[in-house]
Amino acid sequence: MNVAEEYRAAASTLYDQAMVELDAGDLRQASEKFWGAAAQSLKSLAERRGLRHGSHGEFYRILNRLGDEIDLEDLLQQFASASELHVNFYENWLEEGQIRARATHVQALVSTLGRL
């Protein structure tokens, strides 16, 4: 398995773990694992395309480069939801329903990036 495939597999595992945490009521851990799924998906895409992916800023640069291929507005909204979940791990201000709504954005992001 190459590095890009490892990142893709990690994204899937983290998403599944996040759902388990969410169903168990551990909102902080679910939030961080959803973020992890999004980040690992971006890293997978970056590896496949030879792009740098070591920071949040680089994640946004990767997303902006995709604007010629897909609807950038949707992609940025999905990533913003993932970022809010990352913040929620530290701040713990989102309610379960809000996390579930953002989880659907993360799922769409992971799916889209996996197809590119």
Side-chain angles (χ1 to χ4, degrees):
M1 183 180 306
N2 66 34
V3 174
E5 291 167 348
E6 289 175 8
Y7 283 133
R8 187 182 302 198
S12 179
T13 298
L14 286 166
Y15 187 88
D16 292 345
Q17 289 174 344
M19 289 304 297
V20 169
E21 298 287 356
L22 185 56
D23 289 340
D26 192 339
L27 304 182
R28 284 184 131 159
Q29 284 301 315
S31 294
E32 189 66 353
K33 287 183 173 94
F34 284 128
W35 160 254
Q40 295 296 300
S41 292
L42 274 165
K43 288 180 176 206
S44 177
L45 177 76
E47 280 291 322
R48 292 190 312 270
R49 295 187 177 201
L51 303 172
R52 294 177 53 149
H53 53 81
S55 70
H56 287 216
E58 287 174 344
F59 285 162
Y60 279 99
R61 283 189 281 284
I62 292 165
L63 292 171
N64 285 330
R65 291 179 76 155
L66 298 175
D68 293 335
E69 299 175 47
I70 58 174
D71 183 352
L72 186 58
E73 186 175 336
D74 284 347
L75 199 64
L76 290 174
Q77 177 57 52
Q78 293 161 0
F79 187 70
S81 289
S83 293
E84 288 174 353
L85 290 166
H86 182 47
V87 171
N88 190 61
F89 174 73
Y90 300 100
E91 302 297 329
N92 199 30
W93 47 267
L94 291 174
E95 296 176 4
E96 181 180 344
Q98 295 169 314
I99 293 170
R100 287 189 186 278
R102 285 162 177 80
T104 62
H105 292 165
V106 171
Q107 183 179 38
L109 177 68
V110 169
S111 178
T112 299
L113 295 175
R115 287 191 312 267
L116 294 175

